[in-house]
Amino acid sequence: MELYFFLFFAIVAVASSVAMILQRNPIYCVLLLIMVMISIAGLYLMLDAQFVAIIQIVVYAGAIMVLFLFVIMLLNLSREEGGVFRIQKPLAVLLATLLFLPVAAMIMSYAGGGSTPPAAGGDAGFGEVEQIGTLLFTKYLLPVEIAAVLLLIAIVGAVVLTRKGTVSVGE
Amino acid sequence: MVVDPMILEGAIALVKIGILLGVVFTTVAYLTFMERRVSALIQDRLGPNRVGPMGLLQPLADGIKFMWKEEFIPASADRKLFAIAPALILVPALLIFAVIPVGGEVTIPAFTLFGLQIQETTTTLQIIDLNVGILYILGMTSIAVYGIALGGWSANNKFTLLGGIRSSAQMISYELSLGLSIVGILMLTGSLQMSKIVAAQDGFLDWFIFRQPLAFVIFVIAAFAENNRLPFDLVECEQELVGGYHTEYSSMRFSMFMISEYASMVAASALMATLFFGGWHMPFEDQVGPGLVTLYQVAGFLLKTGFFLFVYIWVRWSLPRFRYDQLMAIGWKVLLPLALLNVVVTGIWMLV
Amino acid sequence: MAIIVEARKMTLAERLYLPAVIKGMLLTLAHLFKKKVTMQYPEVQKILPPGYRGAHRLNKDEQDRVKCVACEMCAVACPADCITIEGMETEWNDREKIPRTFQIDMLRCIFCGMCVEACPEDAIDMTDDIELVATSREEMIWDRERLLKNYDETKDQEGTLGQVLRKSRAAFTRLRGDQLPDPGGPGGH
């Protein structure tokens, strides 16, 4: 049962990401990316990480992709012109292969050594909000604070950038 | 033959889903009727009262009419997206109901059906009690925007496109206030689970409306905006956008947009009842006989939901529409700071 | 010259909008229970004022003959051009012509009542019958017989357009009768 669900989500995720890259219509690309996000959320759910799964949907599928869609609709982007990325193509293939190698090596090591990834759902409350919250505010406090400051800088920067124009027009 | 408990559990879940869908669709159908009657009464008219006794069969007549209408697709539309957009908005609206608790535990006595022995089982009147229930609801509301945005874009019409763009900006803006207004409740409850939120309000004075009145006001306003209902229906405003995102839709596809709008209204009303008005908890529960208490609670929950549905309609026919800049100003400059303030005040209150 | 009007600063209570919102909602709530103006049409019929411009009829005289003399004044006056008359000679000694056919295309008619005003013989008239329904276009072209039948059905109706016009015309003539300038005089038009 679990295997079938895994296969379903995995195949949907891989197939939609491949289709997203091959697709030339930006709106379809956004939709396929949402499909990828949701199927990855499904994979998280299978690992008992309900919180992460829902956050994946709320933040990525629900907010970030809406912004993508918003921008694409606002700019009224039509089909991407072919040929613009001709030089980049072989480079991309090379880079992707290089990046894939370590991942493949890791997978091979699991398959060969017979050791399985750490089992999910080992202790009660795994993946629940309380545990994640406790971890975020104790063990990973510094990274959280750094991320918070980074976001704050981004917000202030955005406000400054938008304010600048209006002030100069006003004067 | 004794039924396996696993299969029994699945069967009960299916039955619950079936009943819930039936109730939701009937409510939606009669909500359109209620909208027409209440709007008529507010305008000193009578409204539809000819089809069946008191016009009660009007939704049925409307449904039949919709089915026989021509299914029109504009020549320049993106046919694939145009076809799936109504489903993209209806499905999330219905999925929200999965986590809303309608009542407490009920015990089904053992009985025999077609030779199958079914044991005594206890089940809650809720399809699934996710431990991230509230976040699940927020996730579903955030997904619902795609149906509107894509419906608007795929028709290849400038009015529908404007409607779609407006909806995506509006939904993102108000989702924040919607989510933040609930944070106070989550802090007081200490859980994201719907059943625990309801359990935290078992006494009448424990209802969150008394403990989080500001959050309630923010939640109601944000929910109105999320549902694209007046005074925030800029997504489909008739005067500027000729109906907005669904201008080019007809027949059953159009009615699917309508069904999902009303279904999300029902969901939002049920959420208002659940989060702020004690869910299925009612005052004087312990004075009702043990056999009737579940019935009393479910009836109470439906009554609360029905009241908020009436408020939805009442507001629609009372208030004028906001301008788009006003809408954004209220969302970002008023509701969001107020929601943050509510979180801070709740935190201080909890510490003291 | 442009005048710049400073918008009045709103007080805090006004800027909250909530008091105004509640006030408006109470108003609509009160209207929920007010008396309704809807008229349940087929059961309750509206009482139409005298001189109402409903379905046409062709009046008959005391001898139960058609009053029309086929002068085609109504057809000329009609702005929608929906009246078609074909005259024929008659043996009756009080006139020369009567209509052989008299058709009104009720689908083109705009119910302006000009035909009734134009008629010198008070032959065409309008009743307060407003239920003009048919299942085909042909049925909506009313011929002489249909119009005469309408007269038989609405014979007793008080205050048809023709009667109202006649009354007001008489009153007007009585009022202005003495003051009217001599038609042949220098001040006349």
Side-chain angles (χ1 to χ4, degrees):
Chain A
M1 188 76 170
E2 207 162 314
L3 183 69
Y4 290 126
F5 271 110
F6 172 76
L7 280 179
F8 173 75
F9 284 125
I11 290 172
V12 169
V14 172
S16 353
S17 32
V18 170
M20 188 204 94
I21 293 165
L22 295 178
Q23 183 60 244
R24 281 279 166 259
N25 188 333
I27 293 266
Y28 281 35
C29 287
V30 169
L31 280 183
L32 287 165
L33 196 51
I34 295 165
M35 289 267 287
V36 177
M37 301 292 183
I38 291 177
S39 38
I40 289 175
L43 290 177
Y44 287 150
L45 263 186
M46 292 185 56
L47 294 172
D48 273 348
Q50 296 187 358
F51 183 73
V52 183
I54 292 292
I55 287 297
Q56 169 90 1
I57 290 180
V58 172
V59 175
Y60 285 99
I64 292 181
M65 296 318 290
V66 173
L67 279 179
F68 273 49
L69 197 69
F70 181 76
V71 171
I72 289 174
M73 274 166 44
L74 206 64
L75 299 179
N76 206 7
L77 293 177
S78 50
R79 293 174 161 274
E80 198 181 293
E81 302 280 324
V84 181
F85 296 108
R86 194 159 290 165
I87 317 133
Q88 283 92 332
K89 232 174 209 170
L91 202 66
V93 170
L94 189 72
L95 277 174
T97 322
L98 280 178
L99 281 174
F100 184 69
L101 280 176
V103 180
M106 262 173 81
I107 295 171
M108 293 302 276
S109 76
Y110 280 128
S115 65
T116 44
D123 56 319
F126 176 83
E128 275 184 18
V129 194
E130 208 173 324
Q131 210 184 24
I132 290 173
T134 317
L135 276 179
L136 280 184
F137 283 101
T138 52
K139 199 174 168 190
Y140 298 107
L141 185 62
L142 190 63
V144 167
E145 290 299 325
I146 290 173
V149 170
L150 204 69
L151 285 174
L152 187 67
I153 292 169
I155 292 174
V156 172
V159 170
V160 168
L161 282 177
T162 48
R163 292 287 300 181
K164 219 174 177 181
T166 50
V167 169
S168 62
V169 165
E171 289 161 358
Chain B
M1 200 182 90
V2 180
V3 177
D4 186 60
M6 271 278 280
I7 297 174
L8 186 63
E9 205 177 309
I12 289 175
L14 280 181
V15 168
K16 282 196 280 193
I17 291 171
I19 293 174
L20 189 90
L21 280 184
V23 169
V24 168
F25 276 120
T26 318
T27 314
V28 165
Y30 278 95
L31 198 56
T32 60
F33 177 66
M34 181 170 152
E35 170 119 71
R36 292 175 67 183
R37 281 309 286 265
V38 170
S39 69
L41 291 175
I42 282 176
Q43 296 166 352
D44 292 347
R45 298 181 289 117
L46 285 179
N49 59 355
R50 291 283 165 169
V51 191
M54 314 241 309
L56 281 175
L57 295 178
Q58 185 71 38
L60 204 67
D62 287 343
I64 293 168
K65 190 193 84 170
F66 267 127
M67 281 191 213
W68 291 102
K69 286 262 177 180
E70 187 193 347
E71 185 88 67
F72 180 78
I73 298 180
S76 56
D78 189 318
R79 298 181 80 93
K80 274 177 265 170
L81 287 185
F82 192 80
I84 62 166
L88 280 183
I89 178 169
L90 183 57
V91 168
L94 292 178
L95 280 177
I96 291 176
F97 290 101
V99 294
I100 293 176
V102 177
E105 285 191 340
V106 284
T107 308
I108 304 167
F111 65 98
T112 313
L113 187 77
F114 304 127
L116 293 174
Q117 266 186 317
I118 289 163
Q119 293 143 317
E120 190 180 83
T121 34
T122 310
T123 181
T124 49
L125 294 178
Q126 182 183 12
I127 289 175
I128 183 165
D129 195 15
L130 287 179
N131 65 23
V132 285
I134 279 287
L135 281 177
Y136 169 82
I137 289 169
L138 290 177
M140 288 308 123
T141 51
S142 63
I143 297 262
V145 66
Y146 289 115
I148 296 179
L150 289 174
W153 180 81
S154 65
N156 204 358
N157 170 319
K158 48 184 94 125
F159 293 118
T160 61
L161 179 67
L162 273 174
I165 288 175
R166 279 184 179 189
S167 84
S168 47
Q170 178 176 333
M171 296 279 239
I172 291 184
S173 310
Y174 278 80
E175 230 166 67
L176 284 170
S177 320
L178 193 76
L180 277 174
S181 68
I182 308 175
V183 170
I185 291 178
L186 302 182
M187 287 163 75
L188 290 176
T189 316
S191 174
L192 298 172
Q193 212 164 336
M194 295 301 273
S195 57
K196 288 194 181 150
I197 291 173
V198 173
Q201 312 179 62
D202 56 349
F204 179 64
L205 286 174
D206 289 334
W207 286 12
F208 281 122
I209 176 73
F210 302 119
R211 292 196 273 171
Q212 295 274 320
L214 182 62
F216 175 67
V217 173
I218 298 167
F219 183 83
V220 168
I221 296 174
F224 272 64
E226 282 284 302
N227 285 337
N228 300 316
R229 286 286 291 190
L230 265 167
F232 304 107
D233 73 333
L234 289 113
V235 172
E236 48 181 304
C237 55
E238 294 83 359
Q239 288 83 0
E240 303 160 47
L241 296 185
V242 222
Y245 63 95
H246 57 56
T247 304
E248 297 283 7
Y249 278 93
S250 55
S251 186
M252 278 315 278
R253 293 218 177 102
F254 174 77
S255 79
M256 263 168 93
F257 274 125
M258 286 290 116
I259 290 170
S260 42
E261 183 188 325
Y262 283 92
S264 45
M265 259 167 77
V266 177
S269 304
L271 272 183
M272 286 171 203
T274 308
L275 295 179
F276 293 96
F277 285 80
W280 42 266
H281 280 300
M282 290 290 283
F284 315 117
E285 272 172 338
D286 40 357
Q287 285 163 35
V288 184
L292 288 170
V293 70
T294 311
L295 201 67
Y296 175 64
Q297 286 167 340
V298 172
F301 178 75
L302 294 181
L303 205 70
K304 288 174 203 168
T305 310
F307 172 73
F308 285 111
L309 287 173
F310 172 73
V311 171
Y312 259 99
I313 295 172
W314 181 17
V315 165
R316 171 167 179 190
W317 297 96
S318 301
L319 302 180
R321 183 180 299 127
F322 278 97
R323 224 168 45 212
Y324 200 66
D325 60 319
Q326 292 172 330
L327 170 96
M328 284 295 162
I330 289 173
W332 288 104
K333 292 187 190 161
V334 180
L335 291 186
L336 197 59
L338 277 181
L340 285 172
L341 181 76
N342 186 51
V343 171
V344 173
V345 169
T346 311
I348 292 170
W349 188 44
M350 279 172 73
L351 279 178
V352 174
Chain C
M1 195 186 78
I3 298 172
I4 295 163
V5 182
E6 282 285 317
R8 187 174 61 90
K9 267 227 157 219
M10 285 196 286
T11 60
L12 182 72
E14 279 175 326
R15 265 186 295 146
L16 271 179
Y17 292 115
L18 283 177
V21 164
I22 290 164
K23 213 171 130 193
M25 296 207 12
L26 285 178
L27 184 77
T28 46
L29 188 68
H31 269 274
L32 265 181
F33 306 106
K34 284 219 173 113
K35 198 176 169 298
K36 305 300 164 206
V37 294
T38 307
M39 195 172 270
Q40 295 284 67
Y41 163 60
E43 293 92 39
V44 185
Q45 297 271 357
K46 194 173 181 182
I47 297 162
L48 298 165
Y52 190 84
R53 303 193 297 267
H56 300 261
R57 72 180 193 196
L58 274 181
N59 286 345
K60 290 179 179 176
D61 62 10
E62 301 79 45
Q63 298 165 50
D64 213 27
R65 302 180 308 180
V66 63
K67 263 186 172 181
C68 179
V69 295
C71 68
E72 302 202 20
M73 294 275 269
C74 50
V76 170
C78 181
D81 208 10
C82 64
I83 305 179
T84 319
I85 303 169
E86 208 179 297
M88 64 174 182
E89 284 183 30
T90 175
E91 303 297 307
W92 306 343
N93 50 13
D94 58 343
R95 67 187 91 164
E96 287 165 17
K97 271 165 81 190
I98 58 162
R100 187 210 306 273
T101 60
F102 193 110
Q103 281 186 344
I104 302 180
D105 186 344
M106 298 304 282
L107 289 175
R108 292 184 69 170
C109 178
I110 57 169
F111 298 92
C112 62
M114 303 262 268
C115 48
V116 184
E117 289 195 46
C119 186
E121 298 287 328
D122 288 322
I124 190 166
D125 205 344
M126 283 174 125
T127 64
D128 62 9
D129 176 15
I130 50 169
E131 285 167 344
L132 315 169
V133 211
T135 50
S136 69
R137 282 165 185 269
E138 289 72 31
E139 276 175 73
M140 288 304 282
I141 299 172
W142 289 7
D143 58 4
R144 205 181 87 140
E145 276 58 50
R146 173 76 205 258
L147 292 163
L148 285 171
K149 198 182 89 200
N150 271 6
Y151 175 77
D152 294 333
E153 279 164 9
T154 59
K155 215 186 296 185
D156 308 322
Q157 192 197 318
E158 293 286 321
T160 61
L161 180 61
Q163 287 163 9
V164 170
L165 283 174
R166 220 174 307 150
K167 215 178 286 172
S168 65
R169 214 177 284 150
F172 184 75
T173 326
R174 216 179 306 121
L175 192 73
R176 295 289 303 270
D178 310 330
Q179 302 161 16
L180 281 176
D182 185 41
H189 287 283

